[in-house]
């Protein structure tokens, strides 16, 4: 739009000059009014408003539906995306820890839960949040000197004792340790294992409907997860997703993204964790879950503030409609100028009528942009996210 407006200005100035010279030759008394009419009637306001008005309306509509647009370019990419990549834990699924399944080796269940909750006190990963919920009734503890190791776990001091919580090989300082309990988070100190926390997970509400709707629209979906193959395969089966990658490191995710983009796909990445931040930053459009980590939020162009997966479909529909209205705005601005400028140059449009025409063209563009989202309504459980997002 900016490029079209810039070219239009140059051409209008040339047209006004030619108009003035031509009328000066035939009828000098009409040279100034005709040149002035050309300048006024062709004011590039419609071009200048075509994109901002459509974009502003789309952003406002999405904000009412719990979708915050951080990067304006992300909306266009979302409308054009033909490949969606999903993280699993915290994005498609909600993890939890059942107290009956927790295996305590030393001490009591409440003590183990209190230590685990303290170690995870600053962790926004879904597993960390689930552990804090599980340990909400345990005696509160405070951990210091916390150190998070990406993709492995967390360690910290509680009452002078150094604890580790995470993968077995990390917690036990032994690569390849505890292969029997691959899925469990292991809590250990220098004396060995204290407890094992096997996670349970269930699909997020609307996850299956989201994948089905994207498939019906001809969009291919896949899962990129750092979890074990069995867990990823189970979720992929529940969602009827054919392609998935398990035990993927951030580097593996970036490599997969590079392959898809090299094949010409426009890729949308949906994630929530620290491990997802690099691939979110590299995707054509990055979408973060509201409950996710700050790093995932910072790397994303679109944030689902309400964590409702169905709002992703709403965002895609609004983005597609925005592109339609935007093109209509540009085409209207072009058609208006192609018809109005010759009439003004020939002397059929006086300056006062040119001013009305210029204003009317801008009003048409704005009214057309306001049609975005008119026929869609926000879900009744969607938050009023502007104030919530600021908070």
């Amino acid at each position: 739009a900016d490029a079209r407006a810039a070219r239009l200005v140059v051409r209008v100035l040339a047209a006004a000059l030619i108009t003035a010279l031509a009328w000066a030759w035939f009828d000098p008394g009409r040279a100034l009014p005709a040149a002035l009419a050309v300048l006024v009637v062709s004011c590039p306001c419609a071009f200048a408003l075509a994109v901002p008005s459509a974009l502003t309306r789309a952003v406002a509509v999405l904000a009412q539906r719990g979708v915050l647009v951080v990067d304006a370019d992300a909306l266009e990419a979302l409308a054009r995306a033909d490949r969606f990549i999903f993280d699993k834990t915290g994005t498609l699924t909600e993890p939890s820890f059942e107290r009956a399944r927790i295996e305590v080796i030393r001490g009591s269940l409440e003590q183990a839960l209190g230590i685990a909750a303290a170690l995870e006190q600053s962790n926004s990963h879904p597993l960390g949040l689930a552990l804090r919920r599980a340990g909400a009734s345990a005696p509160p503890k405070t951990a210091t000197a916390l150190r998070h190791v990406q993709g492995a776990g967390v360690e910290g001091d509680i009452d002078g004792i150094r604890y580790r919580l995470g993968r077995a090989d990390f917690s036990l300082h032994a690569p390849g340790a505890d292969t029997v309990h691959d899925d469990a988070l292991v809590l250990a100190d220098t004396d060995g294992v204290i407890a094992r926390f096997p996670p349970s997970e269930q699909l997020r509400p609307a996850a299956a409907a989201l994948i089905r709707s994207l498939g019906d629209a001809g969009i291919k979906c896949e899962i990129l997860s750092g979890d074990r193959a069995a867990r990823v395969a189970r979720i992929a089966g529940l969602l009827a997703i054919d392609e998935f990658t398990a035990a993927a490191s951030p580097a593996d995710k970036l490599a997969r993204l590079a392959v898809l983009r090299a094949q010409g796909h426009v890729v949308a990445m949906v994630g929530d964790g620290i491990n997802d931040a690099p691939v979110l930053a590299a995707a054509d459009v990055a979408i973060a879950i509201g409950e996710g980590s700050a790093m995932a939020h910072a790397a994303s162009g679109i944030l689902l503030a309400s964590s409702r997966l169905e709002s992703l479909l709403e965002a895609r529909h609004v983005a597609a409609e925005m592109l339609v209205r935007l093109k209509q705005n540009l085409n209207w601005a072009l058609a208006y100028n192609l018809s109005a400028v010759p009439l003004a140059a020939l002397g059929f449009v006086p300056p006062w009528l040119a001013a009305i025409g210029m204003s009317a063209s801008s009003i048409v563009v704005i009214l057309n942009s306001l049609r975005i989202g008119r026929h869609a309504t926000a879900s009744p459980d969607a938050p009023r996210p502007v104030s919530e997002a600021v908070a």
Side-chain angles (χ1 to χ4, degrees):
D2 290 341
R4 287 191 183 189
R7 290 194 298 267
L8 176 66
V9 170
V10 174
R11 292 167 182 171
V12 166
L13 291 175
L17 178 61
I18 294 173
T19 299
L21 293 176
W23 279 108
W25 179 267
F26 291 105
D27 186 353
R30 300 184 63 183
L32 180 59
L36 183 60
V38 170
L39 290 173
V40 173
V41 80
S42 61
C43 179
C45 291
F47 276 115
L49 292 172
V51 175
S53 61
L55 179 60
T56 301
R57 173 61 179 176
V59 169
V61 168
L62 290 177
Q64 295 174 353
R65 288 159 175 74
V67 180
L68 304 178
V69 180
V70 181
D71 179 6
D73 293 337
L75 280 181
E76 181 178 359
L78 177 62
R80 301 185 187 279
D82 62 351
R83 194 81 169 209
F84 272 70
I85 299 177
F86 292 89
D87 175 48
K88 181 180 71 67
T89 305
T91 301
L92 294 174
T93 64
E94 294 177 325
S96 62
F97 291 91
E98 300 174 11
R99 296 170 73 95
R101 296 186 61 205
I102 297 175
E103 181 183 356
V104 181
I105 310 300
R106 290 186 285 127
S108 68
L109 174 61
E110 294 301 319
Q111 288 175 332
L113 284 172
I115 294 170
L119 292 173
E120 298 287 4
Q121 59 188 294
S122 61
N123 188 3
S124 61
H125 189 277
L127 288 175
L129 295 174
L131 266 178
R132 295 211 298 272
R133 288 194 295 268
S137 60
K141 297 180 180 294
T142 302
T144 59
L146 288 172
R147 184 175 75 93
H148 292 268
V149 179
Q150 184 172 323
V154 60
E155 62 178 343
D157 295 329
I158 300 176
D159 298 330
I161 301 175
R162 191 69 173 174
Y163 295 94
R164 281 191 170 192
L165 175 65
R167 285 193 335 228
D169 55 353
F170 167 75
S171 298
L172 299 175
H173 303 271
D178 197 27
T179 56
V180 175
H181 298 87
D182 277 339
D183 288 343
L185 296 182
V186 175
L187 174 64
D189 58 14
T190 54
D191 294 329
V193 177
I194 297 174
R196 291 186 175 91
F197 302 90
S200 303
E201 60 182 349
Q202 54 279 339
L203 290 177
R204 274 186 178 272
L210 170 64
I211 300 301
R212 185 169 55 251
S213 297
L214 291 174
D216 292 343
I219 296 175
K220 187 80 170 179
C221 298
E222 67 177 272
I223 298 176
L224 275 181
S225 174
D227 286 350
R228 309 296 178 183
R231 295 175 61 191
V232 179
R234 184 179 75 86
I235 297 302
L238 291 175
L239 295 173
I241 295 178
D242 298 328
E243 293 189 43
F244 62 89
T245 303
S249 66
D252 295 331
K253 295 180 179 182
L254 284 173
R256 177 58 181 165
L257 176 64
V259 169
L260 292 174
R261 297 186 69 179
Q263 294 173 352
H265 294 291
V266 179
V267 182
M269 174 68 195
V270 187
D272 71 306
I274 295 175
N275 292 348
D276 300 320
V279 70
L280 283 168
D284 293 293
V285 54
I287 304 163
I289 303 297
E291 296 174 353
S293 69
M295 287 186 65
H297 293 174
S300 300
I302 296 175
L303 174 63
L304 304 184
S306 65
S307 298
R308 295 169 48 250
L309 284 181
E310 57 266 37
S311 62
L312 178 56
L313 284 178
E314 298 172 3
R316 186 173 174 273
H317 293 157
V318 171
E321 186 180 4
M322 182 201 73
L323 282 187
V324 172
R325 303 302 179 203
L326 190 152
K327 292 176 181 177
Q328 290 175 348
N329 289 346
L330 291 174
N331 291 335
W332 158 254
L334 179 62
Y336 162 77
N337 280 280
L338 289 177
S339 59
V341 171
L343 291 175
L346 292 173
F348 295 115
V349 180
W352 64 269
L353 184 57
I356 294 176
M358 180 271 294
S359 301
S361 68
S362 299
I363 292 174
V364 168
V365 165
I366 293 173
L367 291 177
N368 188 51
S369 297
L370 289 176
R371 297 169 63 195
I372 296 174
R374 280 185 57 190
H375 304 295
T377 57
S379 172
D381 61 343
R384 312 315 299 175
V386 174
S387 59
E388 178 179 315
V390 171

